[in-house]
Amino acid sequence: MTNTQKKETEQPEEKMQFETDVFRLLDIVTNALYSNRDVFLRELISNSADACDRLRYEALKNPKLTENSKPFHIRLTPENTNTTLTIADNGIGMNREELIENLGTIARSGTAAILENLKNSGQDKDMSLIGQFGVGFYASFMVSTKVIVISSKAGDDTTWYWESDGQTGFTIREATPDESTLLADGHGTTIILDMKGDAIDYLLEDKITQIVLEYSDHVEIPIFLDDKHAAEKTNDSKDNEPEEEKPINAASALWTRPKDTITKDQYKEFYHHIGNVFDEPVLTSHWTAEGKIEYTALLFIPSLRPWDLYDPERKNALRLYVKRVFISDQLDTILYPWLRFVRGIVDSQDLPLNISREMLQTNPVVHKIRSGVTKKILNEIDKLSRDDEAGFAALWHQFGAVIKEGLYDAIEHREKIFKICRFFTTNDPEKPTSLQDYIERMPEGQDTIYYISGDNAKSLRSSPQIEGFVSRGIEVLLMTDTVDEFWLQQVKEFDGKKFQSVTKGNVNLDSFDKKDSTDDTTKKEEETPTNANIDTLLRVLQTELSDHISFARPSKRLTDSPVCLVADEGGVDMHMEQVLKIQQKYEPNQKPVLEINPKHKLIQKLADMAKEDQEQELLKDSAKLLMDQALIIQGAPLPDRGGFAKRMANFMEKGLLG
Ligand code: ADP
């Protein structure tokens, strides 16, 4: 905004600029020629319904606000002569500052950039996405050349006039007495859209009714369509009694209707409305809890990850109602943060209506509802895993990583969370397994759940540290989500079996039979005798690499690779260390352990060399190269990249040129 100065008394008309992001957004909106323009009406109705909800809540504390008002309603008036469509509500309204702030800026930075990306990637065809970004009002410029907003905040005396062509900014001034009469109850908002030439079909009653039925039928506030023939009809009626006006939507809270009277489409449409999203939910759950605490919940799990799932500013999106009065959708305590993707409503019978939002945060009833809602969601997800494998797989793919945050955040629900957790494993890197199934497949004698963590299943599958396990038929879980490192710090076991990282501590796998005696690697291992000079080589490695490793030792976990790095028993797991380095600028105070494979030909050759002459350059260079190799496999940065390149070139030269 270029001009935000305030004046105490009467304010003349002021011209203001939109924030840059709004300009960018409007450019996208007005040029989105091929998108579904019907959504503009849904967005404006949704804003009006919210405004009514908000005033109803405020009036609980201050009944004067609605003393002389009609029941809450939204009125749509198409005018063919002027080609305008008016959307009027008697909700909370906006004062001058709110008009400027709400209709001249974008609440969250970065939104325009995201929409631009969608546009550039050709995904802007369906502008129905717009509501998801909290910028629904601007959709009105898809169908109008000019938008006028007349608004008065409930409790204020002044009515404001806001006008924009969506291109050059907006003007704002006090409304004239005539304009003020457009607000039937003296408060609320009336929006007048000057329709574009190619959008006049939105003035047709049938078209409006069809859009309302499609998108806004479940809006709890009645929506009236001004019937141009109403006056004639009244005159015709014999007793001259005006007929009671009927809303064009059902205007009743969907969740209060019996489940068997609600169609799948109605549920879906409701989900779209409250979630501002447009996918098909993977899970819909509607139930009423009775007993000590009574509430009705209607919850949805989206099939797509919301764009801001990891945005720290993201609010939990459940809407809390008390006895059908909307209270808040900003309540952190009604849903655990690790279920922040769940959408829907909770309507409580037990909370007092006049409770403040602050009091709600600590209210014990809210905590009990949260516990009930969490159990129900987890049970439903578990049920889905049995009834609809594909649906469950999609859900887990989208939200598994977030749900796992609950393993350390909500101990009381840990058992149920574990039940739905799935992990990739060395057995089948394509299909994730449950922990229960993993345990059932454990060979005799295995009492530990082995895992390795890293960025992706494919590279983990080729980690040297798992070779010894795989060759013995021991399955290793592949932990690929960053969050795994965090819950594994806190959760030590499942079903009495300890979690053990294969990249940490000393492992002894001797007690397990080799998987298959015809297996090549196993044969190779058994045929190759160990070299007596290994100890000398270990000493050379220790001296040469003392800056990077705490010590070197022979490995039990390697079969194919010559070396690998592991963390010492009490140290921080290798991948965790990298995560901490990136996320928390962590400086490790413990160096890793270098393990060597005494049965590997290369190691045996080096051991022979170590016996001959511990000081020879070739041996020292080889030690460094082995270290470099171990780091590369690990995905860790090399301490001396230039040195590595030189050593590598040196060896290649020798290999190729003799
Ligand atoms: P969103 O509704 O997702 O926040 P919008 O761009 O549709 O985004 O609206 C921006 C803001 O303008 C709303 O959050 C609300 O505060 C205000 N607003 C819009 N329409 C109305 C209305 N009819 N009555 C009161 N406030 C409104």
Side-chain angles (χ1 to χ4, degrees):
M1 274 164 284
T2 53
N3 186 356
T4 50
Q5 82 218 72
K6 271 204 260 165
K7 291 162 199 154
E8 296 304 330
T9 52
E10 200 177 293
Q11 302 180 358
E13 178 170 297
E14 284 190 64
K15 255 202 147 328
M16 295 191 175
Q17 292 279 304
F18 287 121
E19 196 187 44
T20 324
D21 268 5
V22 177
F23 273 122
R24 287 162 71 188
L25 175 74
L26 283 170
D27 181 50
I28 300 168
V29 169
T30 44
N31 294 313
L33 291 177
Y34 304 106
S35 60
N36 171 12
R37 300 196 295 178
D38 294 0
V39 299
F40 86 91
L41 192 55
R42 179 193 65 200
E43 295 300 326
L44 296 183
I45 288 176
S46 171
N47 283 347
S48 285
D50 281 351
C52 293
D53 274 348
R54 277 159 54 206
L55 179 55
R56 181 159 34 198
Y57 177 73
E58 292 300 324
L60 292 172
K61 287 173 280 174
N62 182 3
K64 275 207 173 108
L65 291 177
T66 50
E67 218 166 34
N68 302 314
S69 308
K70 293 197 207 63
F72 289 113
H73 66 274
I74 298 165
R75 180 170 294 282
L76 310 177
T77 314
E79 280 265 9
N80 283 320
T81 355
N82 308 328
T83 60
T84 57
L85 177 64
T86 301
I87 297 104
D89 66 63
N90 57 346
I92 194 154
M94 285 174 274
N95 59 27
R96 183 177 181 277
E97 285 69 38
E98 286 166 336
L99 278 165
I100 296 171
E101 180 69 21
N102 294 338
L103 311 184
T105 62
I106 295 181
R108 293 175 64 175
S109 57
T111 306
I114 291 172
L115 282 165
E116 254 166 8
N117 280 342
L118 286 179
K119 182 184 170 202
N120 294 338
S121 61
Q123 291 176 48
D124 65 324
K125 292 213 170 61
D126 187 4
M127 279 311 271
S128 61
L129 283 170
I130 193 159
Q132 193 181 345
F133 299 99
V135 291
F137 169 78
Y138 300 106
S140 44
F141 288 102
M142 286 200 282
V143 291
S144 352
T145 48
K146 186 170 80 178
V147 177
I148 293 171
V149 181
I150 314 260
S151 197
S152 177
K153 177 112 181 201
D156 281 5
D157 293 334
T158 322
T159 302
W160 296 97
Y161 176 100
W162 180 103
E163 181 192 315
S164 172
D165 60 2
Q167 299 194 6
T168 51
F170 60 90
T171 52
I172 187 160
R173 60 166 166 79
E174 256 186 62
T176 62
D178 265 3
E179 287 159 355
S180 302
T181 59
L182 288 169
L183 302 180
D185 288 330
H187 58 80
T189 303
T190 291
I191 298 182
I192 305 163
L193 308 178
D194 233 321
M195 301 308 273
K196 285 184 178 170
D198 63 359
I200 48 172
D201 53 333
Y202 289 109
L203 300 174
L204 299 172
E205 283 171 19
D206 285 351
K207 175 93 177 171
I208 297 174
T209 311
Q210 171 235 318
I211 300 177
V212 169
L213 287 180
E214 189 173 345
Y215 296 115
S216 313
D217 193 34
H218 50 75
V219 168
E220 220 202 320
I221 311 288
I223 302 170
F224 297 112
L225 175 59
D226 254 359
D227 182 349
K228 279 172 276 165
H229 309 296
E232 295 159 28
K233 273 192 210 156
T234 312
N235 289 340
D236 289 350
S237 68
K238 287 188 190 110
D239 48 11
N240 265 1
E241 276 289 309
E243 279 176 47
E244 201 197 326
E245 198 179 8
K246 286 211 175 66
I248 51 173
N249 61 335
S252 77
L254 187 80
W255 64 90
T256 58
R257 301 185 210 161
K259 262 173 95 162
D260 52 9
T261 64
I262 308 173
T263 65
K264 206 172 164 228
D265 276 350
Q266 282 172 321
Y267 273 130
K268 190 167 89 178
E269 177 198 295
F270 181 74
Y271 160 69
H272 289 176
H273 165 69
I274 49 144
N276 259 335
V277 285
F278 303 97
D279 56 335
E280 183 99 22
V282 265
L283 206 124
T284 301
S285 184
H286 182 190
W287 80 99
T288 297
E290 277 157 359
K292 279 200 193 127
I293 303 268
E294 278 182 36
Y295 63 90
T296 298
L298 172 51
L299 305 181
F300 303 91
I301 296 187
S303 56
L304 297 174
R305 209 177 288 174
W307 63 286
D308 57 353
L309 189 60
Y310 287 100
D311 184 340
E313 278 178 44
R314 183 186 161 79
K315 290 274 175 238
N316 295 337
L318 275 201
R319 292 166 73 97
L320 176 71
Y321 289 75
V322 172
K323 302 182 188 82
R324 287 166 56 184
V325 175
F326 172 72
I327 304 292
S328 175
D329 57 1
Q330 306 282 317
L331 206 62
D332 294 339
T333 42
I334 195 96
L335 199 65
Y336 279 106
W338 47 276
L339 290 175
R340 59 189 176 272
F341 53 86
V342 175
R343 309 279 185 161
I345 66 96
V346 171
D347 189 352
S348 156
Q349 290 298 317
D350 305 303
L351 288 164
L353 261 172
N354 53 2
I355 191 168
S356 73
R357 292 197 179 102
E358 294 69 37
M359 294 288 285
L360 274 173
Q361 297 285 6
T362 52
N363 188 288
V365 173
V366 173
H367 284 256
K368 285 191 183 125
I369 295 178
R370 177 174 74 175
S371 176
V373 163
T374 307
K375 279 188 200 137
K376 179 79 174 183
I377 297 174
L378 292 174
N379 283 342
E380 294 266 334
I381 299 179
D382 182 40
K383 189 166 171 291
L384 187 76
S385 75
R386 280 173 271 122
D387 299 348
D388 173 6
E389 208 178 316
F392 172 78
L395 183 154
W396 188 254
H397 176 66
Q398 297 287 335
F399 303 114
V402 177
I403 294 174
K404 281 188 282 185
E405 291 172 14
L407 290 170
Y408 55 78
D409 192 36
I411 298 171
E412 66 275 31
H413 297 290
R414 190 177 283 166
E415 209 176 303
K416 277 196 176 9
I417 301 175
F418 263 142
K419 223 169 160 195
I420 59 170
C421 278
R422 296 291 183 273
F423 302 94
F424 289 110
T425 95
T426 45
N427 266 25
D428 186 348
E430 299 293 317
K431 192 167 173 283
T433 185
S434 72
L435 286 178
Q436 202 51 50
D437 288 349
Y438 173 92
I439 286 183
E440 275 160 29
R441 287 193 296 269
M442 275 182 173
E444 209 172 308
Q446 183 184 343
D447 57 1
T448 306
I449 301 172
Y450 291 108
Y451 71 89
I452 179 165
S453 46
D455 293 337
N456 70 71
K458 200 164 163 240
S459 63
L460 284 179
R461 192 73 183 74
S462 51
S463 299
Q465 291 95 337
I466 62 168
E467 289 169 359
F469 293 85
V470 175
S471 71
R472 288 168 174 85
I474 301 172
E475 197 172 352
V476 178
L477 298 177
L478 310 174
M479 304 277 188
T480 48
D481 291 317
T482 308
V483 62
D484 293 327
E485 295 293 1
F486 293 96
W487 69 260
L488 281 160
Q489 296 297 305
Q490 310 235 348
V491 188
K492 297 294 171 209
E493 54 178 56
F494 169 76
D495 199 19
K497 315 266 184 302
K498 283 208 162 38
F499 288 103
Q500 161 79 48
S501 164
V502 303
T503 62
K504 188 173 158 184
N506 216 340
V507 290
N508 190 350
L509 299 171
D510 289 348
S511 57
F512 296 101
D513 290 332
K514 300 284 161 61
K515 189 172 97 187
D516 178 1
S517 54
T518 59
D519 181 301
D520 278 355
T521 50
T522 317
K523 249 200 233 155
K524 196 166 46 184
E525 242 184 279
E526 278 159 4
E527 282 162 9
T528 325
T530 50
N531 188 307
N533 302 319
I534 290 291
D535 284 348
T536 323
L537 175 63
L538 286 172
R539 272 198 301 280
V540 173
L541 292 172
Q542 225 143 294
T543 321
E544 243 357 271
L545 304 174
S546 62
D547 282 351
H548 308 293
I549 62 170
S550 56
F551 61 94
R553 71 177 167 218
S555 182
K556 292 272 197 292
R557 55 192 113 206
L558 293 170
T559 59
D560 279 6
S561 305
V563 286
C564 72
L565 286 170
V566 297
D568 204 3
E569 196 65 61
V572 179
D573 191 27
M574 301 297 290
H575 182 246
M576 177 65 171
E577 191 178 291
Q578 280 174 46
V579 170
L580 288 176
K581 268 188 195 165
I582 295 166
Q583 296 203 341
Q584 297 174 14
K585 309 241 176 314
Y586 165 84
E587 278 303 326
N589 54 11
Q590 234 172 352
K591 294 173 201 151
V593 177
L594 180 75
E595 289 198 350
I596 62 168
N597 180 358
K599 292 168 187 165
H600 198 282
K601 286 218 172 71
L602 177 63
I603 296 295
Q604 296 195 337
K605 171 76 185 157
L606 292 173
D608 290 344
M609 286 166 65
K611 193 194 165 205
E612 269 168 32
D613 175 6
Q614 294 183 27
E615 290 305 316
Q616 52 180 313
E617 278 310 307
L618 195 59
L619 181 63
K620 288 182 179 175
D621 270 359
S622 303
K624 286 187 189 131
L625 261 184
L626 283 179
M627 178 71 195
D628 291 335
Q629 206 183 79
L631 285 169
I632 289 171
I633 296 172
Q634 203 76 27
L638 297 181
D640 173 17
R641 279 180 292 178
F644 164 73
K646 254 192 225 139
R647 285 188 285 276
M648 194 64 188
N650 208 359
F651 273 89
M652 283 169 81
E653 213 178 293
K654 283 207 175 69
L656 295 172
L657 307 176

